Amino acid sequence: MTQTIRAAVLREVGAPLQIEQIELTDPRAGEVMVEIEAAGVCHSDLHYLQGDLQCPLPVVPGHEGAGRVISVGPGTSGDISVGDRVALLWRPNCGRCAQCVAGKPIMCELGPVQARSGGLLDGTTRMSADGAPVHHLLGVSCFSERVVVPERSVVRVPDDIPAEIAAIAGCAVITGVGAIRNAIGACSGDPLVVMGAGGVGLAAIMGARLAGASPVIAVDVDTDKLALAARVGAAITIDARDGDVVEHVLAAVPGGAAWVVEAIGRPETVASAFSMLRPGGTVVAVGLGRVGQGFTVPINELVQRQKRIVGSLYGSSIPQLDLPRIFELYRAGHLPLDLLLGERYPLDRVGDSFDALRGGAVGRSIVYPNR
């Protein structure tokens, strides 16, 4: 069966999002339908809107969401039932491929299928308009009243976790906190820099404080974002507009930082991150950039000072394990995620949320597709 829903649709790169009535079909084998309660506004969505990242069009954006299961397709495991509250994952895992078996489900061979095809795990879409396909973004598309997603793309959320927290936990928080817990690990007493105080960077700062890194240094070009970074755990804040960032970091931690989390995704900021490392230090890159962008690494400095640059996708996480841990840390007050929440918007104003993001909005904006 098919039902009509409202959704934000991108039909052309650079064009405004349009709120349209589209058709959504029932879930197929191994899929569920979720009514969206809250959706976070992520910079990665903006990359797709601007063409920095590419996907099939037309598409319904939004990949950071949470809601309630309202129907279940045939052939599901039985672990997810109608009425369950869930967070959505934009990187599902099959549990059977070489990467999954090796304990790296974020690198699952199924992961790129949804991104390339604009469909779900079988490469086809459940959305259409006037008989023409409308594509899913990363298999989620939560800037819509309801979505159909693979069962493997949801994690159950306890009833006492607010929908807004569940939504941002499924992308920004697991990416930032996960980079600390999974890509870095033990860092107690180590100087750690986070470049970029957006949603992911702020989550990384919380994770670094929780892990005992010292000092935790935040770098950004926005004073309001730096003030929020200080509230969530940064001991030192550096305004990147005020002189040479590398010099400021080296003045704060002579010898350099042990760890730098780069949450911006620009060649110049990755290069700066590399330059502020101490010997044996590591840059953990979590920010996405424009397709094809690169940066230059001084080879002798790489070798002679034994510096490293590693990537961390989705916090190098196992979402089925890491998200419940994040919810418990939030409950216990160790991750003050409410501080990450920014402005709220109904679906009709989703375009305004992206205008605010372009303008440097502080905190993670939230869209309510059913308002």
Side-chain angles (χ1 to χ4, degrees):
M1 295 180 61
T2 300
Q3 58 183 273
T4 301
I5 62 169
R6 295 171 69 246
V9 181
L10 177 70
R11 293 193 170 274
E12 182 181 347
V13 169
L17 290 171
Q18 301 293 327
I19 307 303
E20 300 183 15
Q21 300 276 350
I22 66 171
E23 288 73 49
L24 180 69
T25 61
D26 285 345
R28 298 181 185 175
E31 298 172 352
V32 299
M33 183 180 290
V34 179
E35 186 168 79
I36 301 299
E37 295 176 339
V41 180
C42 178
H43 207 280
S44 294
D45 285 305
L46 184 58
H47 279 311
Y48 285 104
L49 269 59
Q50 296 177 158
D52 298 333
L53 299 174
Q54 298 171 358
C55 65
L57 299 177
V59 67
V60 175
H63 64 276
E64 183 180 87
R68 190 176 297 275
V69 175
I70 57 174
S71 67
V72 175
T76 54
S77 68
D79 292 338
I80 300 296
S81 304
V82 171
D84 285 346
R85 298 182 66 239
V86 294
L88 305 179
L89 308 176
W90 53 264
R91 197 77 175 185
N93 51 83
C94 69
R96 299 184 300 274
C97 71
Q99 295 290 347
C100 285
V101 172
K104 301 176 182 178
I106 292 306
M107 304 309 297
C108 175
E109 294 171 4
L110 287 180
V113 171
Q114 297 185 144
R116 288 195 303 259
S117 68
L120 299 184
L121 294 180
D122 64 358
T124 65
T125 177
R126 305 293 171 267
M127 300 183 293
S128 63
D130 298 323
V134 175
H135 296 93
H136 303 259
L137 182 71
L138 301 177
V140 179
S141 292
C142 57
F143 292 149
S144 55
E145 292 176 321
R146 299 179 185 89
V147 299
V148 170
V149 297
E151 180 189 23
R152 302 194 70 89
S153 292
V154 302
V155 172
R156 191 180 290 106
V157 174
D159 286 338
D160 63 338
I161 301 297
E164 299 85 353
I165 298 300
I168 66 172
C171 181
V173 177
I174 198 171
T175 298
V177 173
I180 303 297
R181 292 174 61 89
N182 302 318
I184 292 176
C187 59
S188 179
D190 290 343
L192 186 150
V193 178
V194 177
M195 300 190 71
V200 172
L202 292 168
I205 290 167
M206 289 185 187
R209 177 196 57 79
L210 192 58
S214 182
V216 177
I217 302 172
V219 177
D220 204 283
V221 295
D222 187 294
T223 53
D224 291 334
K225 290 182 179 179
L226 290 173
L228 182 52
R231 290 185 67 191
V232 302
I236 300 171
T237 60
I238 295 174
D239 190 328
R241 299 168 299 180
D242 184 20
D244 187 286
V245 171
V246 176
E247 291 182 359
H248 284 305
V249 169
L250 295 180
V253 284
W259 307 94
V260 181
V261 176
E262 201 283 340
I264 301 171
R266 294 179 180 171
E268 61 271 24
T269 52
V270 178
S272 293
F274 185 80
S275 296
M276 63 182 65
L277 289 175
R278 72 186 186 189
T282 301
V283 173
V284 178
V286 301
L288 293 175
R290 183 175 301 162
V291 172
Q293 280 187 318
F295 60 96
T296 300
V297 175
I299 295 174
N300 288 355
E301 188 174 350
L302 178 72
V303 174
Q304 293 172 340
R305 296 173 69 82
Q306 294 192 173
K307 295 182 177 183
R308 297 187 301 156
I309 303 175
V310 301
S312 176
L313 178 67
Y314 217 166
S316 305
S317 64
I318 301 176
Q320 290 79 2
L321 297 178
D322 287 338
L323 273 179
R325 291 169 180 162
I326 286 170
F327 295 143
E328 285 302 320
L329 289 169
Y330 168 74
R331 276 177 169 154
H334 299 308
L335 289 177
L337 300 179
D338 295 292
L339 294 177
L340 297 186
L341 299 175
E343 295 296 320
R344 274 74 159 178
Y345 299 87
L347 183 62
D348 288 338
R349 293 187 57 212
V350 65
D352 294 338
S353 74
F354 282 102
D355 289 340
L357 183 60
R358 292 184 186 96
V362 179
R364 201 67 152 189
S365 295
I366 301 294
V367 171
Y368 297 100
N370 283 285
R371 295 186 187 177

